[in-house]
């Protein structure tokens, strides 16, 4: 009952049709004839609730990033359990950096619920140290280096080459993306020491390689220039002058 001309009926079941009539009652309790019959069906306006994991951080396993799997679910007041759809889907390759995953679920009435979380793929592991470094003397001013490549899940970006003449104070003399290097412009008959460091794409440095050394060749000292001693100057003996009067 109500003393007003409107009424809100609550606690109904969604999807069930309800029929209504109204009677008026006077002060002494006499009821009126019923009104026309009206009806209505409560409509579901509540979207499903989508449950997603907390933000995820993973280590990259390849230059492309990492494969990541995750679990999500959705529940609806009327439809119960609903399988949500996520983009990107679980089991995708997630590249280095941050990716936002959006998951949504739609109930039978068309209400859509959604939720998001992030997956961050990082590279925190440095490359392995270069190994098997070899130094080979080529000339009085050049030493060649070669080594075995480092390993990094995301990839080695370059190698730094360090050199010293006392095996204590090393300086960086160049970079290369390969596993060979020519150290040129060296002094002759001098021992040079070397080691290599690898860098990955995230800028992480490896431990140094083994230290090697090599001595440049000696420049031969030229000997004295040979000189020649001139011999005696040859002389000619004049012959006798013929007598024109002789027969």
């Amino acid at each position: 009952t109500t003393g007003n001309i409107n009424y809100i009926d609550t606690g109904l079941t969604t999807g069930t049709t309800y029929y209504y009539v109204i009677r008026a009652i006077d002060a002494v309790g006499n009821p009126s004839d019923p009104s026309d019959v009206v009806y209505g069906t409560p409509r579901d306006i509540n979207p499903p609730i989508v449950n997603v994991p907390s933000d995820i951080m993973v280590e990259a396993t390849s230059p492309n990033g990492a494969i990541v799997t995750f679990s999500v679910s959705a529940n609806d007041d009327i439809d119960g359990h609903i399988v949500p759809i996520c983009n990107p889907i679980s089991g995708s390759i997630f590249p280095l950096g941050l990716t936002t995953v959006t998951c949504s679920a739609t109930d039978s009435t068309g209400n859509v619920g959604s939720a998001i979380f992030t997956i961050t793929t990082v590279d925190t592991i440095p490359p392995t140290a270069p190994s098997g470094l070899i130094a080979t003397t080529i000339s009085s001013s050049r030493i060649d280096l070669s080594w075995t490549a480092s390993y990094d899940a995301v990839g080695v970006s370059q190698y730094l080459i360090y050199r010293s003449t006392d095996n204590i104070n090393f300086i960086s003399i160049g970079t290369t993306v390969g596993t060979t290097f020519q150290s040129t412009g060296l002094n002759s008959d001098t021992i040079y020491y070397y080691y290599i460091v690898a860098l990955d794409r995230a800028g992480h440095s490896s431990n140094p390689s083994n230290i090697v050394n090599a001595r440049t060749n000696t420049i031969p000292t030229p000997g004295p220039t040979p000189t020649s001693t001139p011999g005696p100057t040859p002389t000619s003996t004049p012959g006798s002058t013929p007598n024109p009067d002789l027969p």
Side-chain angles (χ1 to χ4, degrees), residues 24-229:
I25 299 176
D26 63 16
V28 297
N30 299 310
S32 70
D33 290 333
S35 67
D36 294 334
V37 177
V38 295
Y39 62 91
T41 302
R43 185 171 63 89
D44 179 16
I45 61 172
N46 297 318
I49 297 175
V50 180
N51 305 299
V52 298
S54 300
D55 294 341
I56 298 172
M57 180 175 291
V58 297
E59 184 72 26
T61 57
S62 76
N64 295 326
I67 296 175
V68 182
T69 59
F70 51 83
S71 297
V72 297
S73 63
N75 294 284
D76 185 72
D77 293 339
I78 305 303
D79 299 329
H81 176 69
I82 299 175
V83 177
I85 298 174
C86 297
N87 183 30
I89 64 173
S90 176
S92 297
I93 296 176
F94 288 81
L96 284 168
L98 184 145
T99 301
T100 298
V101 181
T102 301
C103 300
S104 61
T106 304
D107 66 18
S108 58
T109 310
N111 299 308
V112 179
S114 63
I116 64 172
F117 67 100
T118 62
I119 294 178
T120 303
T121 306
V122 298
D123 176 19
T124 63
I125 301 175
T128 60
S131 61
L133 177 60
I134 298 173
T136 303
T137 299
I138 302 300
S139 68
S140 61
S141 62
R142 172 181 159 187
I143 294 174
D144 284 2
L145 305 175
S146 63
W147 59 92
T148 300
S150 299
Y151 170 77
D152 186 83
V154 175
V156 174
S157 62
Q158 62 180 333
Y159 295 93
L160 308 180
I161 294 83
Y162 292 87
R163 184 180 70 201
S164 171
T165 55
D166 59 8
N167 202 22
I168 298 174
N169 300 301
F170 284 83
I171 60 172
S172 176
I173 60 169
T175 64
T176 182
V177 297
T179 56
T180 61
F181 184 81
Q182 294 180 359
S183 180
T184 59
L186 307 178
N187 295 325
S188 64
D189 193 26
T190 303
I191 297 176
Y192 290 93
Y193 301 84
Y194 298 90
Y195 70 80
I196 312 295
V197 171
L199 290 180
D200 67 13
R201 296 179 182 177
H204 301 121
S205 301
S206 73
N207 288 327
S209 70
N210 55 303
I211 296 176
V212 296
N213 69 80
R215 182 189 292 272
T216 51
N217 292 337
T218 301
I219 298 176
T221 302
T225 303
T227 59
S228 59
T229 302

